[in-house]
Amino acid sequence: MTQVSRDEPSATLRGLRDDERQMTVEAYFERFSWQPRSPDPRRMTPEQFFVALDDAAFD
Amino acid sequence: MTLAAFEANSSTYAPPSSGAGLRLHDRSDEELDGLSFGVICLARDGVIRRYNLAEARFARLDRAQVLGRHFFQEIAPCTATPGFQGKVDAFLAAGSRSSERFEYVFHFRFGAQLVDVELVSSANPDEIYICINRRKSSPLSEDVPSEILAAAQSDLAPNETELGVLRDEDGRRRVRLSPIVFEALAHALDDEHWATVCDGWGFSWGRLATVDIETEVILSLDSLLRDLPMSTAVDTVVRYLRREGWGQLTVDFAPARQGLMVLELERNALAEALGAATAPRCHLLSGFFRAIFSHLAGRRVQVGEVSCRTQGADRCTFAVAGARRADQLAAALAEASGDMAVLLASMGRAR
């Protein structure tokens, strides 16, 4: 999976294939299940959230 | 599912399978009520011997009115078919010690439910256990004959309102309980017993409430709680407490950096009933939250009340941590004495 950054979408998009370049950044994130650098607890499943809580993953 | 897995997950939802290992016959009613799928025990003649909480919730029937009745004739005529009753009769006749699974559609007046059914042998050869896992619900088709529809609660106990029986829209019996009952209970118990009794009571309540919440999610979202995003799962708990009149719950995920989730309950019915106190008094809700969030997490969590309306706070605040940090949470709660900033700092230092 192409590593992308929300901070530099244009730079990321330059490295994409033509069809991928037509997508918006948000759609790209959606399509490739982009994971944010800091996990969003509200979007995690309950099990993922509590595992992360125990593992200090939000630090 | 093996017996060990069943025991390990007895408070969580899991579809029934590998029935020979389940040994449902050996499980107490309390254990069966902790399951989020339906369990019915039938005698060889079709009379209902056991009926768990989830099944009562899915079928919108009161267990007290169901036990002792004939399942195929009185409760679920839609199952009096070769595809259901025929399989049950054949299973019993064969004296099978294994299990059998099939798909079926239940027809209720309030809608249809696509279910997975598993027939499970019992230690008693004259009875059978039926595990029912709801997969999808849908509106009732107009071409379903009314005579095969499953019984409604009003069929089983007509005119019961004249006898002072109240029910909600899902057929569950209700009692209008004044919060002064909690005040009276507080007067009857010293502080130590209050904490112990209420925490255990709250935990048991939370375990049963998870079945209620889980069934609601399955029917309304065709999903399991554990598969929802955390925010949506938490919203189901918020709605449950609001509907039951306990107050407004808000959940703060920001303290996750300190290994905590923080719950705030405004207009907490329990705290408002108890009056002034020098220490947090809402052990009932701490136990409730511990059960609910342990179920959601699929692992044990710890809950402590940080500050309480009985102490003059404008709301009751609870901290939720993983069980691995239970000791840290207890120490931080003691150090904080109700001050959330101190609690967070203490938890942060312990990382």
Side-chain angles (χ1 to χ4, degrees), chain B residues 17-29:
Chain B
S17 64
S18 304
L22 277 173
R23 298 177 61 183
L24 292 166
H25 178 86
D26 298 334
R27 303 291 119 191
S28 67
D29 287 347

Side-chain angles (χ1 to χ4, degrees), chain A residues 45-47, chain B residues 12-15 214 223-229 233 295-296:
Chain A
T45 67
E47 184 178 3
Chain B
T12 61
Y13 182 88
E214 191 80 77
S223 178
L224 304 178
L225 269 173
R226 66 182 182 201
D227 295 331
L228 295 174
H295 174 83
L296 279 173

Side-chain angles (χ1 to χ4, degrees), chain B residues 8-59:
Chain B
N9 295 292
S10 60
S11 67
T12 61
Y13 182 88
S17 64
S18 304
L22 277 173
R23 298 177 61 183
L24 292 166
H25 178 86
D26 298 334
R27 303 291 119 191
S28 67
D29 287 347
E30 182 185 5
E31 287 173 302
L32 296 189
D33 281 348
L35 299 170
S36 296
F37 56 85
V39 179
I40 303 170
C41 175
L42 295 184
R44 187 177 287 274
D45 60 4
V47 168
I48 299 170
R49 289 184 172 173
R50 303 178 78 185
Y51 198 85
N52 78 339
L53 190 64
E55 187 55 34
R57 176 72 179 80
F58 280 120

Side-chain angles (χ1 to χ4, degrees), chain B residues 11 34 36 74 83 86 104 111 125 144 175 193 202 205 227 231 251 302 314 323:
Chain B
S11 67
S36 296
E74 296 180 272
Y104 205 76
V144 176
V175 176
H193 285 99
W205 167 35
D227 295 331
S231 58
V251 180
Q302 194 59 36
D314 63 347

Side-chain angles (χ1 to χ4, degrees), chain B residues 6-7 71 74 120 151 221 239 243 249 252 256 267 320 337:
Chain B
F6 171 76
E7 289 172 337
F71 180 70
E74 296 180 272
V120 182
L221 301 176
R239 281 201 303 276
R243 189 177 63 229
L249 180 71
D252 186 2
R267 300 299 314 273
V320 184
S337 293

Side-chain angles (χ1 to χ4, degrees), chain A residues 41-42 44 46 50 54 56 59, chain B residues 228 230-231 257 296 299 351:
Chain A
R42 289 162 299 190
M44 304 168 91
F50 284 101
D54 258 348
D59 288 7
Chain B
L228 295 174
M230 189 64 185
S231 58
R257 295 170 68 90
L296 279 173
R299 53 171 54 197
R351 304 293 275 175

